[in-house]
Amino acid sequence: MPHAKLAQIHVETADEGAPEVSPVSFKMFNRIVDWITNERLQLINVTDRINEVVRKSGIRDGMVHLQSLHTTTAVFINEWQDALLHDVRTFLEDLIRRESYFRHNDPTYSDCERKNADSHLRGMVMGQSLCLQVRNSAVLLGTWQSIILAEFDGPRSRSMSIQVSGV
Amino acid sequence: MPHAKLAQIHVETADEGAPEVSPVSFKMFNRIVDWITNERLQLINVTDRINEVVRKSGIRDGMVHLQSLHTTTAVFINEWQDALLHDVRTFLEDLIRRESYFRHNDPTYSDCERKNADSHLRGMVMGQSLCLQVRNSAVLLGTWQSIILAEFDGPRSRSMSIQVSGV
Amino acid sequence: MPHAKLAQIHVETADEGAPEVSPVSFKMFNRIVDWITNERLQLINVTDRINEVVRKSGIRDGMVHLQSLHTTTAVFINEWQDALLHDVRTFLEDLIRRESYFRHNDPTYSDCERKNADSHLRGMVMGQSLCLQVRNSAVLLGTWQSIILAEFDGPRSRSMSIQVSGV
């Protein structure tokens, strides 16, 4: 198999901006941020909003943990480009088709009146929490990485709990 | 594209229960918890069990990290409703069909006697670790969010390592 | 439903190697590690490399956070077995077919010349960040768990930011 035989080149970069391993004071900062959505399946670029909270926290290096408080939403990373966002929507709509039979949507089995089994499954597959590094008072992201909050059962009001921790 | 043009309303809630950004004493607490499963594909609501460990840790605000120590399991969030759990099982069984051809199940390529390639792929897609916030000595969860441990190759004994950290 | 009725046996193991809940000095350590990939879809076992960084950090117990800085990659856990890796590739290639129509690959909608919508969707589904526990100066992993970096749009040079935090 090619995987095992690959001569991989590892280049380690000393990371000058990072705090070294000496003991440091641990800090924590929490905020709840809300969004009003207006489509059933909607993708929202929350990168700037998360960075504002990180800046406000006064924490320079550490982690930011994002947790959407709703099962029919998700938080994930991708490039923020209109054409690609269209593909993301199509992919999720095809992977879990709203019109398929689901017990959660069937009054014989369920008292859920929203008929949103597809929303639940999409949220479950994509995940509702995300941990990212904080470096130099900003979320560490690659050039093409944006943080996306996905609404799968809108329009609704949605809350995300943001926790910044570190030094 | 509607995504870019949306007027999103951001409401930021000052979170009174949270420790502010002053330096605080960092604490850590670790426990391994085991479950005996009795079906091949089984979903277990572990929310109460995780909350017990969080309470026992004495940590009020921070993070809890859950890590199942087995490739053929997963840990994720969804609503705990019988009808929906049935849909979750059906979705995972359809997404990765046990009876498909897999090299991992083929004695020509693999010495695995469990024929559990489907279990590996389900575990990989759903993920074996989960990070959640701890607030006021409890796991922060939305109204409908439960923590679910999924067994994909039972019956077995399964271990989850739980780490609570914070202040 | 069987899920709710199951008599689950919980066995809690006091974890002797773990630091107890007394306040301890918090430490952080960051490194960027690079890999040169040489296939379009390539799976790389990065477990040993991550463990080297953890050892070098001097941190005994805590967390290691891995974040690939590229949207067309992923980081996840699975068993490192040739036959299974073949199944993983086949599964991802079938779930998101490269030759499907995507707006991201269509010059009418997109200026992306790499025609890599499939790579973006694979990266999004599998996720680009992973949080794992550190115990006794090593990444905590079950017997069959390896950390896998997936290249979905190689050959390229790829960077992962590794943050070790704890005590």
Side-chain angles (χ1 to χ4, degrees), chain B residues 84-143:
Chain B
L84 182 62
L85 295 172
H86 184 272
D87 297 329
V88 168
R89 295 169 64 108
T90 303
F91 168 70
L92 291 170
E93 285 165 349
D94 287 351
L95 184 68
I96 298 148
R97 303 195 71 80
R98 186 178 183 181
E99 64 275 18
S100 297
Y101 172 80
F102 296 108
R103 281 202 185 176
H104 184 66
N105 299 350
D106 180 347
T108 312
Y109 293 99
S110 172
D111 58 359
C112 173
E113 289 175 6
R114 296 190 69 88
K115 314 269 182 233
N116 62 355
D118 61 319
S119 320
H120 278 281
L121 295 176
R122 288 172 191 159
M124 180 187 81
V125 163
M126 298 304 299
Q128 284 135 51
S129 73
L130 190 63
C131 222
L132 297 168
Q133 294 172 36
V134 170
R135 308 300 304 279
N136 298 313
S137 306
V139 183
L140 179 72
L141 289 169
T143 313

